[in-house]
């Protein structure tokens, strides 16, 4: 592959904003706390997104299965822990597929973002265009296409086929996140590493990857989220013994919503919030150390 000519000129860092612009921006943020139509839309959007979540959490402590609140109880959390083996198995399958497929998609997507953005080769524009197809195609079309492919190559449906389908589905999201980080990369750092005697491999693992690590982690987390909540593709490529959490929840909803699902939802939300706080602090510390 042939490297782009004068990459330092093409991807030169943007000039910093003037002091007057920064001062005006700070003043705008300072005086923009008054009530406005945009703030009203923001508050309504937040309520629309989070009120259903609070309702689910509230009813997870209901002592009855009905929608009427009859008393505060932990009975559904007890059933979740001690009497929900199929649910935990479905959750384990979901986490296993989400983590493994996201890990593979992150490696392939990150390498693709670096190679496609930094090198010029035949078919580069074509690859860039088709890379986003899994993201823009309806999930049912992609699921049917994957099902036909697995039937053609005679791969039995199960966790492995779900893993392949989710890896393919998550690739564009990782590529997009890492590409955005690569576009803002300061190429003078690479020139400095070569001047100090670093090889291409050393530059990749000690300079490039640490610099774009926030984009890689963001792509991985987005892939995990997309994989865990996917139902359409999973339902088409799953087989016996490969029930994931979305499939299990859907099968339970057909017979009525169980408060055990509400309890599990609250536990997952709590875990995700804790992980988000930890990752946020870790990324801030990582960025400050660079």
């Amino acid at each position: 592959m042939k490297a782009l000519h004068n990459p330092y000129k093409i991807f030169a860092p943007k000039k910093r904003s003037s002091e007057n612009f920064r001062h005006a921006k700070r003043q705008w943020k300072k005086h923009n706390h008054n009530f406005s139509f945009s703030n009203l839309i923001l508050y309504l959007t937040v309520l629309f997104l989070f009120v259903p979540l609070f309702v689910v959490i509230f009813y997870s402590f209901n002592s009855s299965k009905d929608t009427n609140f009859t008393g505060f109880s932990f009975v559904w959390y007890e059933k979740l822990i001690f009497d929900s083996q199929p649910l935990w198995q479905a959750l384990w399958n979901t986490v296993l597929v989400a983590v493994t497929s996201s890990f593979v998609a992150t490696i392939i997507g990150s390498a693709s973002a670096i190679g496609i953005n930094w090198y010029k080769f035949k078919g580069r524009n074509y690859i860039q265009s088709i890379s986003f197809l899994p993201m823009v195609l309806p999930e049912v079309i992609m699921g049917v296409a994957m099902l036909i492919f697995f039937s053609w190559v005679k791969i039995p449906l199960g966790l492995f086929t779900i893993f392949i389908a989710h890896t393919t589905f998550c690739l564009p999201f990782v590529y997009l996140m890492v590409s955005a980080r690569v576009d803002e990369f300061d190429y003078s750092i690479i020139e400095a590493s070569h001047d100090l005697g670093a090889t291409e491999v050393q530059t990749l693992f000690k300079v490039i990857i640490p610099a774009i690590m926030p984009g890689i982690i963001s792509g991985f987390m987005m892939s995990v989220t997309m994989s865990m909540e996917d139902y359409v593709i999973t339902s088409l490529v799953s087989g016996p013994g490969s029930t994931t959490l979305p499939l299990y929840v859907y099968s339970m909803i057909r017979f009525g919503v169980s408060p055990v699902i509400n309890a599990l939802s609250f536990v997952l939300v709590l875990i995700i919030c804790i992980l988000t706080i930890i990752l946020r602090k870790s990324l801030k510390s990582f960025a400050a150390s660079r």
Side-chain angles (χ1 to χ4, degrees), residues 21-66:
F21 174 78
R22 292 196 296 269
H23 177 71
K25 189 176 181 180
R26 286 195 298 267
Q27 291 298 320
W28 181 84
K29 289 183 177 181
K30 182 178 179 181
H31 298 290
N32 196 41
H33 297 292
N34 297 328
F35 180 81
S36 63
F37 180 73
S38 60
N39 289 336
L40 175 62
I41 297 299
L42 173 63
Y43 298 146
L44 291 177
T45 303
V46 171
L47 287 175
F48 178 78
L49 293 175
F50 287 96
V51 166
L53 183 61
F54 289 128
V55 171
V56 169
I57 295 174
F58 176 76
Y59 278 103
S60 69
F61 296 100
N62 188 11
S63 59
S64 173
K65 295 182 64 174
D66 301 330

Side-chain angles (χ1 to χ4, degrees), residues 40-233:
L40 175 62
I41 297 299
L42 173 63
Y43 298 146
L44 291 177
T45 303
V46 171
L47 287 175
F48 178 78
L49 293 175
F50 287 96
V51 166
L53 183 61
F54 289 128
V55 171
V56 169
I57 295 174
F58 176 76
Y59 278 103
S60 69
F61 296 100
N62 188 11
S63 59
S64 173
K65 295 182 64 174
D66 301 330
T67 55
N68 296 326
F69 191 82
T70 58
F72 188 86
S73 175
F74 289 96
V75 61
W76 304 115
Y77 290 90
E78 182 180 352
K79 288 184 177 294
L80 173 65
I81 296 174
F82 300 106
D83 193 25
S84 299
Q85 182 61 30
L87 180 60
W88 287 113
Q89 183 61 46
L91 178 61
W92 166 250
N93 292 340
T94 302
V95 174
L96 178 63
V97 171
V99 172
T100 54
S101 63
S102 299
F103 181 76
V104 175
T106 301
I107 294 176
I108 300 175
S110 301
S112 301
I114 295 173
I116 292 175
N117 284 275
W118 283 5
Y119 294 95
K120 187 175 182 180
F121 53 90
K122 188 176 180 180
R124 177 171 174 263
N125 295 331
Y126 175 74
I127 294 177
Q128 280 182 313
S129 299
I130 66 173
S131 296
F132 297 101
L133 280 180
M135 186 167 54
V136 299
L137 285 175
E139 290 188 14
V140 63
I141 295 178
M142 184 176 175
V144 170
M146 297 296 296
L147 178 61
I148 295 173
F149 171 76
F150 294 141
S151 300
W152 179 56
V153 297
K154 300 187 184 317
I155 298 179
L157 299 181
L159 287 178
F160 182 67
T161 55
I162 299 176
F163 160 77
I164 296 176
H166 284 203
T167 302
T168 306
F169 175 66
C170 294
L171 262 174
F173 297 97
V174 177
Y175 173 78
L176 185 64
M177 300 292 290
V178 178
S179 293
R181 189 72 180 179
V182 171
D183 289 340
E184 301 176 355
F185 193 83
D186 186 1
Y187 282 75
S188 62
I189 302 177
I190 299 179
E191 186 178 23
S193 68
H194 289 312
D195 291 340
L196 294 173
T199 63
E200 293 290 339
V201 176
Q202 290 174 332
T203 302
L204 175 64
F205 287 99
K206 295 186 177 181
V207 177
I208 298 175
I209 291 181
I212 64 174
M213 186 58 69
I216 295 175
I217 296 177
S218 300
F220 175 79
M221 296 304 297
M222 179 174 286
S223 298
V224 170
T225 303
M226 298 296 295
S227 176
M228 291 188 67
E229 60 89 24
D230 181 75
Y231 171 78
V232 177
I233 297 176

